[in-house]
Structure formats: structure tokens, C-alpha cells
Amino acid sequence: MIINPFNVNGTLYPAKVKSRRQRWEVKPSEMANNTLNPIRAIVDGMKLTPNPDKPMIALSIGDPTVFGNLPTDGSVLQAMKDAIDSQKYNGYAPSVGYLKSRQAVANFCSCPEAPLEAEDVILTSGCSQAIDLAISVLCNPGDNILVPCPGFSLYKTLAVSMGIKVKLYNLLPEKSWEVDLQHMESLIDERTSCIIVTNPSNPCGSVFTKEHLQKILKVASRHCVPILADEIYSDMVSCSCPSMASLSSDVPILSCGGLAKRWLVPGWRMGWILIHDRNNVFGSEIRQGLVKLSQRILGACSIVQGALESILNNTPQSFYNKTISFLKSNSEICFNELSTIPGLNPIMPSGAMYLMVGIDLEHFPDFKNDVDFTERLVTEQSVFCLPASAFEYPNFFRIVVTVPEEMMLEACSRIREFCQRHYRPCSRDSNDLDQ
């Protein structure tokens, strides 16, 4: 064997024979092995065989475009066409986004209580990447983050893959999914690097009041913990929904948002982080950290960036109003229908695209849990609702309210038929009737 003792620069290496691997052994990384999507873990394990006599109605998919009844506005499409035709956006954009596009987002999202400039905006490949970057810049392996329960499963998927511990703070269904503030505060320790607040909520469809948001901010302020505000559903509400940053005087906030839901274009993958610093807590280091992390992937689609200013400035208010009106109407239909079904306890939402339904399993002895219940609902009625075990909240299921109205009515009718077939009064109910 001939060993070259010199490297490419001509300097002498120690003449050492390297050991050679005797066989192939290529394994996935720890990060890959630690990456788990709880929704996929639940759904992939379910036996989903629809009733062949009934067409499938999927109330499980958080994509408002699936049924074709909620198209985006013509002005949004025209903005994209103009960006393509200009041929100005075929190349690489800066990793944080075009300055003009970032300024457009800053102008659109600014308010007197939380002003923004272009330097406060990082454009991302969807809100999911915004959340990824925000967690990555605030947390180290061994740290912990506080996440709502029930809550969006991506937070845990991202954090655990990075070696970050997830602590779940409870939301209270009897209080329209408000945060259990005492429980949240009890979870904070010296390794807590951020609190994630999802408002409006996926999966609950709840919207926190100004007063409740201020109470959350007080908890964060007492313990000097920054907030990651997932506000992708902001303005998809039927009530007032202030941003967290507009209420914060001292808690720094990274707010994550994007085009996906309000403009009904989730596939366009345009998100953003809004950096709301307070008292220079983030300073230049967090900003620079986000810039560095954005350079790992060259950010959001350049063509959508080129269309962004026009989309934000020219989408008519009537488009937003129409979407909100439809979601509110469908939510009311679903809530009113399911409220009269013994054994089910729907909770009326105020925003986003979701409604959560509690299952009184004591009245449904045929089923072990929410997964079993929703699996059999598919088998017998061809209606698929997502079991809330996917959000680490058993004995509930989530309904997506973006389906056409007639489909929602049909789904509710089938759920009623299913529950009537399987409902059993409890023994104490029988005793009450005897008396």
C-alpha cells in the first residue's frame, strides 16, 4: 500500500494507516429517528375502511382548498400572474426575503402598539418554517418549551428532533379553551426557553380575549421567558383578536404567520416571522441568529415574494368577510347539530377552521377511546374526524369546518345515526329514570 504523507498544501501528515470499515453500515441520524409526527403516528395505525355504500366525507384535513368551495380571490391570482410575467423573480432571493416584500409585510402587520420595519420581518417557506426557525433560534438541546394541550403537533415534532423537551400546559374546555394559567406557570424552570401561544387555536378554534392574553403575558414577564406566538389564523375570527405583541410592554415576541389560511393558499408556502423586541432583550443576537438559520434554506418562493405586496394591499375586504362568514355559518351548523346528540359535547369555536367535540365514552361502551370511536365512524358512516389523541388530548375529536354546507349537514346526520346506534344510558341514568 502506498501512503501519500503530504496533504494538498504540501505539508507533512503523520504516516498513519487509517482503519478501514469491513462492511457497509449506514444508519439514519438521531435527528431523523427522533422526528415523529403524532398525527401520522395515530392515523397510520388506524384501520380506515369506509362504508362502500356511502361516499367518504373527510372532516380531518386542515387544508381549506380541498373541496374547491373556498377559492382564493382573483386579485391574489392576478398578483401571481403579474409576478411571473415580469420575469423579475426567477432567481434566488436573499435568504430572509426581498427587502420590498419584507417591508410590505411590515406595513401590513404594523399597529401603533407594535410597529414594524422591514428589518423586523423574516420571510419563510410557510408558517411551519417560521416556527422551525423561531424554536431553533431560542432553544438549545436540553432546554424545554411550553406547548398548549391540545395543540398543533408540529411544535413537538420539531422540538423533540432537536433534543428539546416539551412541557404541555392545559387548555380548559369548560372555559372555551382558555389557558390554565396556574398549570402553565408551574411548568416554568430555569431551562424554559420559550412559551408557545397559539391564537386562534388549532385544533380548538378558540380565540383568547385581550384580558386573557394579558394574563399570559404577565406569567411570561414574571419569569423572563419570551413568547413564540403562532398567529397563522389571525383575522380568521368572528370576534376581536388582538395580536400578542400589541399588548406586550416588556415580553419579547416572535410572531409566526403567513398567507396560507387567510388567503386560502397553503400550497404557496409563504410565511413570516415578525420580531417584536422589547427593551432590547432580543438585541442583535437573536436577529442575527435568525438570519444565519434562514441561510440553511434559501427561504420562501421568490415568485410569491414578488406578488406579496400586491396580495397584501389589493385583496378586497369583501373576500376576507366572505370567508369568515362561511366559516362562522358552518361552525354554527355543526355545533347546533351535534349539540343535540346525546353523548357528544361540541365546543363552539370563535375562529380558525376547527371545532372540537367531546365524547362521553361512558355512554359508548362499544369503544375503548377516541381513536376507536373515529375509526368505527369511518367504517360505518364514511365520515373521518381526527381523533384528538393526535393532539395528546384523548376522548375528543376535531372537525374541520371548511367543507361545503350540504356536506357538513350530511356528515352531522351520519354522526347522529352512528351515535344513536351505539349510545347506551349509564346505570345511574337508568336509576334516575326509575325514580
Side-chain angles (χ1 to χ4, degrees):
M1 179 186 294
I2 299 174
I3 300 173
N4 180 5
F6 296 95
N7 69 10
V8 291
N9 296 319
T11 55
L12 189 64
Y13 275 139
K16 181 181 177 182
V17 178
K18 292 184 177 179
S19 61
R20 184 171 63 86
R21 289 180 181 174
Q22 301 300 312
R23 57 190 174 85
W24 287 97
E25 190 175 15
V26 182
K27 295 182 178 180
S29 66
E30 287 185 19
M31 184 176 187
N33 285 334
N34 290 335
T35 299
L36 175 69
N37 184 326
I39 293 179
R40 290 261 56 89
I42 295 282
V43 174
D44 290 350
M46 296 174 72
K47 300 179 182 69
L48 300 176
T49 308
N51 183 336
D53 298 325
K54 297 187 177 186
M56 185 70 170
I57 301 177
L59 303 179
S60 57
I61 306 169
D63 181 346
T65 72
V66 167
F67 296 97
N69 59 316
L70 290 173
T72 192
D73 191 69
S75 63
V76 178
L77 298 177
Q78 190 59 51
M80 281 289 279
K81 293 172 185 176
D82 292 344
I84 292 169
D85 289 342
S86 75
Q87 299 213 41
K88 293 179 181 178
Y89 307 105
N90 295 337
Y92 292 122
S95 64
V96 293
Y98 290 120
L99 182 62
K100 183 180 179 183
S101 306
R102 294 163 68 201
Q103 188 62 57
V105 173
N107 294 342
F108 187 83
C109 297
S110 275
C111 66
E113 301 81 11
L116 292 163
E117 298 294 337
E119 66 178 10
D120 303 316
V121 178
I122 307 282
L123 299 184
T124 61
S125 180
C127 188
S128 296
Q129 194 202 9
I131 294 166
D132 187 4
L133 295 184
I135 292 174
S136 298
V137 81
L138 294 174
C139 308
N140 286 308
D143 285 352
N144 64 75
I145 61 174
L146 271 51
V147 170
C149 181
F152 185 37
S153 60
L154 182 69
Y155 311 137
K156 184 173 183 179
T157 299
L158 294 171
V160 172
S161 73
M162 301 177 199
I164 299 160
K165 183 180 179 181
V166 172
K167 294 184 175 183
L168 302 175
Y169 64 84
N170 292 330
L171 305 183
L172 302 170
E174 67 276 14
K175 293 187 176 181
S176 298
W177 301 110
E178 283 190 348
V179 173
D180 182 337
L181 295 165
Q182 188 174 356
H183 184 233
M184 170 191 273
E185 190 158 14
S186 73
L187 298 174
I188 298 173
D189 62 23
E190 68 281 356
R191 294 299 302 267
T192 303
S193 49
C194 78
I195 300 171
I196 296 182
V197 178
T198 315
N199 189 47
S201 167
N202 175 11
C204 302
S206 54
V207 179
F208 296 146
T209 63
K210 174 182 176 181
E211 293 72 24
H212 190 60
L213 289 171
Q214 288 171 329
K215 290 176 182 177
I216 296 170
L217 285 164
K218 284 182 181 177
V219 171
S221 177
R222 275 196 294 272
H223 297 274
C224 300
V225 179
I227 285 177
L228 191 170
D230 182 352
E231 299 179 324
I232 186 65
Y233 293 99
S234 67
D235 298 311
M236 287 185 79
V237 296
S238 55
C239 60
S240 173
C241 182
S243 69
M244 288 216 78
S246 69
L247 304 175
S248 176
S249 60
D250 64 331
V251 178
I253 293 168
L254 296 181
S255 173
C256 299
L259 291 184
K261 302 301 164 60
R262 192 181 183 196
W263 285 268
L264 306 175
V265 287
W268 289 11
R269 310 313 299 142
M270 172 54 67
W272 51 71
I273 299 175
L274 308 178
I275 306 168
H276 293 282
D277 201 357
R278 295 292 180 269
N279 304 320
N280 205 37
V281 172
F282 284 155
S284 62
E285 290 186 327
I286 293 297
R287 291 175 185 274
Q288 202 53 43
L290 285 168
V291 171
K292 290 177 180 178
L293 288 168
S294 74
Q295 292 167 351
R296 297 177 64 188
I297 300 173
L298 282 179
C301 172
S302 59
I303 294 171
V304 186
Q305 290 189 53
L308 194 51
E309 184 176 23
S310 178
I311 291 172
L312 297 176
N313 295 339
N314 298 330
T315 304
Q317 185 62 40
S318 58
F319 166 74
Y320 305 132
N321 294 344
K322 183 179 178 183
T323 304
I324 292 168
S325 176
F326 171 81
L327 294 174
K328 184 172 186 285
S329 174
N330 244 17
S331 296
E332 289 172 347
I333 288 169
C334 184
F335 175 80
N336 290 335
E337 290 291 322
L338 300 187
S339 290
T340 61
I341 300 175
L344 296 187
N345 298 299
I347 299 173
M348 183 65 190
S350 301
M353 317 184 307
Y354 311 104
L355 182 149
M356 287 278 274
V357 183
I359 312 166
D360 287 335
L361 280 175
E362 60 184 1
H363 288 295
F364 296 103
D366 295 343
F367 311 117
K368 299 189 296 289
N369 50 40
D370 56 309
V371 177
D372 197 18
F373 182 98
T374 52
E375 187 177 87
R376 290 279 293 279
L377 182 57
V378 172
T379 303
E380 295 182 21
Q381 296 291 340
S382 296
V383 174
F384 185 27
C385 304
L386 197 62
S389 287
F391 307 107
E392 304 198 62
Y393 206 80
N395 302 336
F396 276 75
F397 60 87
R398 187 193 74 173
I399 288 177
V400 178
V401 298
T402 56
V403 300
E405 181 179 314
E406 62 275 12
M407 198 176 285
M408 178 62 76
L409 286 166
E410 172 64 20
C412 289
S413 174
R414 294 189 199 175
I415 293 171
R416 179 184 300 278
E417 182 181 325
F418 176 80
C419 289
Q420 286 174 340
R421 178 179 178 184
H422 294 283
Y423 181 87
R424 303 288 183 272
C426 293
S427 55
R428 70 169 180 269
D429 295 338
S430 302
N431 293 336
D432 291 342
L433 290 172
D434 294 338
Q435 294 171 5

